[in-house]
Amino acid sequence: MAALLGTPLNSLLRGVRLLLDAGLLTVTREEKRAGRPVRHYRAVAERFALPYALTPAETPEALLAAEHAGPEARLRQGLVGAGLELVRQQQGVVGVHAVMDGPRLVLRNAVGPDAPWNFLDPAAPAMVDYWLEDLRLDFEEAKALQAELCELFARYRRRTGQQAYTLRLALAPQAPT
C-alpha cells in the first residue's frame, strides 16, 4: 500500500497508528503468516467532520485551492497540448485576436488574421475553455443552469471511451465588490 500511495512504509505505519490511537480506524481482521500477521483496517465511519484547523488548509479558500491545484494544472496542460496540436494541424498559423468584449480586452484563439478558432470544427481537438465573469441571471435561471450542468455532467461522467479528458464545470455567484 505504501508504494501505491508513494509514501515510505514507516510514514504510512505511523499514520495508521495515529488513526488507530485517535479511534478513526479499526482492525477488521488479521491474516496469520510467518512473522507478524497482516492486519486489515477500515474507517470507523463513512464520513468525518473536521474543523479547518485540523486540515492542511486553515480556510475554505485554501482547501479549495489545494484540492484544485493538481486538476487545474492538468487542465492547463491539456489545453496547451490541444492548442499545440491545432498549431501542428494548421501548420503554425494559429495565434490570437485581441478584441474588446465590453470594457475588457480579451484574447481569442484564431487560425489566421481573419478566422476565429472554430472549436467545433470536426478536425479541431475536443476542448473548450470559457469564462463568463459577468453572466447575468435571475436566481431561478441560475438554478435551472445549475440543474442542466449537473445533468450533463452525470450523463457523461461514467463513459469509458479511449481518450481521457479533464472537465471542469463551475457556476458561482460573484462576491459583491
Side-chain angles (χ1 to χ4, degrees):
M1 181 58 86
L4 181 67
L5 295 172
T7 187
L9 181 58
N10 287 341
S11 297
L12 180 64
L13 291 173
R14 182 175 163 267
V16 167
R17 275 189 229 107
L18 288 171
L19 292 171
L20 281 167
D21 291 345
L24 300 175
L25 273 185
T26 186
V27 178
T28 58
R29 66 186 165 97
E30 290 187 1
E31 290 180 19
K32 304 255 188 236
R33 65 173 184 157
R36 293 184 180 175
V38 175
R39 291 184 177 155
H40 294 261
Y41 304 93
R42 76 169 173 78
V44 298
E46 291 289 319
R47 123 180 20 164
F48 299 95
L50 303 171
Y52 284 103
L54 295 179
T55 71
E58 293 187 11
T59 66
E61 292 85 4
L63 182 61
L64 192 61
E67 287 178 349
H68 287 193
E72 289 282 355
R74 288 188 294 279
L75 178 61
R76 280 192 305 276
Q77 291 167 352
L79 289 169
V80 169
L84 292 173
E85 172 60 23
L86 188 62
V87 168
R88 189 191 64 69
Q89 288 177 5
Q90 299 293 322
Q91 298 167 357
V93 297
V94 174
V96 295
H97 289 161
V99 298
M100 294 303 294
D101 185 4
R104 297 181 345 192
L105 177 68
V106 296
L107 301 177
R108 295 198 174 123
N109 292 312
V111 291
D114 300 318
W117 184 348
N118 180 1
F119 283 97
L120 300 178
D121 183 304
M127 61 184 284
V128 174
D129 186 22
Y130 289 129
W131 284 95
L132 296 172
E133 291 189 74
D134 198 24
L135 180 63
R136 309 299 289 180
L137 302 172
D138 292 329
F139 180 75
E140 293 77 18
E141 293 171 311
K143 291 300 289 182
L145 178 56
Q146 175 193 34
E148 287 179 50
L149 291 173
C150 289
E151 186 276 326
L152 188 63
F153 178 76
R155 186 166 13 128
Y156 281 88
R157 76 178 296 181
R158 303 255 186 254
R159 300 283 173 102
T160 58
Q162 293 181 358
Q163 175 67 47
Y165 289 88
T166 299
L167 171 67
R168 177 170 186 202
L169 299 175
L171 174 69
Q174 291 183 359
T177 56

